[in-house]
Amino acid sequence: MNTLTAGAPAPAFSLLDQNGETVSLNDFKGKKVLFYFYPKAMTPGCTVQAQGLRDTKAELDAHNVVVLGVSIDPVKRLGKFIERDNLNFTLLSDEDHAVADQFGVWGEKNFTPE
């Protein structure tokens, strides 16, 4: 698995959003992109995370930051998540986890006791 390092350019991508429209990194030239990955829509932890971003959107907008959430969920599930939780940012479907692989965030979950 490749790991993206600080300061490295983000890998180019094109994914479908919650409406089935293609979204690419090039669509956001001149903007800051907060690109976050989450395991599965409408699960407790992912919901809290998405709601937190929803609730701070005005502040992010003021800093010219665009939020893009990415999961392996199908497009249809993303639309349901947005509707259910009143999300005000774009969700992207990476069903084959190809983009997650490019960013170095796809892999087997490890539970390490502390």
Side-chain angles (χ1 to χ4, degrees), residues 1-2 13 16 18 26 31-32 38-39 49 55 57 67 94 101 114:
M1 166 173 49
N2 294 329
F13 67 85
L16 296 179
Q18 68 274 0
N26 285 338
K31 293 193 174 252
K32 299 170 193 155
Y38 61 97
Q49 182 179 31
D55 296 345
K57 183 152 185 332
V67 177
D94 184 25
D101 284 337
E114 293 187 31

Side-chain angles (χ1 to χ4, degrees), residues 92-113:
L92 302 172
S93 176
D94 184 25
E95 286 189 85
D96 64 359
H97 59 81
V99 173
D101 284 337
Q102 286 181 294
F103 276 78
V105 298
W106 183 259
E108 188 175 322
K109 187 184 254 186
N110 291 320
F111 293 99
T112 307

Side-chain angles (χ1 to χ4, degrees), residues 59-81:
E59 183 178 348
L60 292 167
D61 288 347
H63 294 283
N64 201 29
V65 176
V66 175
V67 177
L68 301 174
V70 183
S71 73
I72 60 168
D73 292 304
V75 168
K76 186 175 180 179
R77 186 168 175 90
L78 300 178
K80 289 179 183 178
F81 190 26

Side-chain angles (χ1 to χ4, degrees), residues 27-46:
D27 298 338
F28 304 98
K29 284 191 178 194
K31 293 193 174 252
K32 299 170 193 155
V33 179
L34 190 161
F35 199 71
Y36 83 99
F37 292 87
Y38 61 97
K40 190 171 182 183
M42 297 185 276
T43 56
C46 296

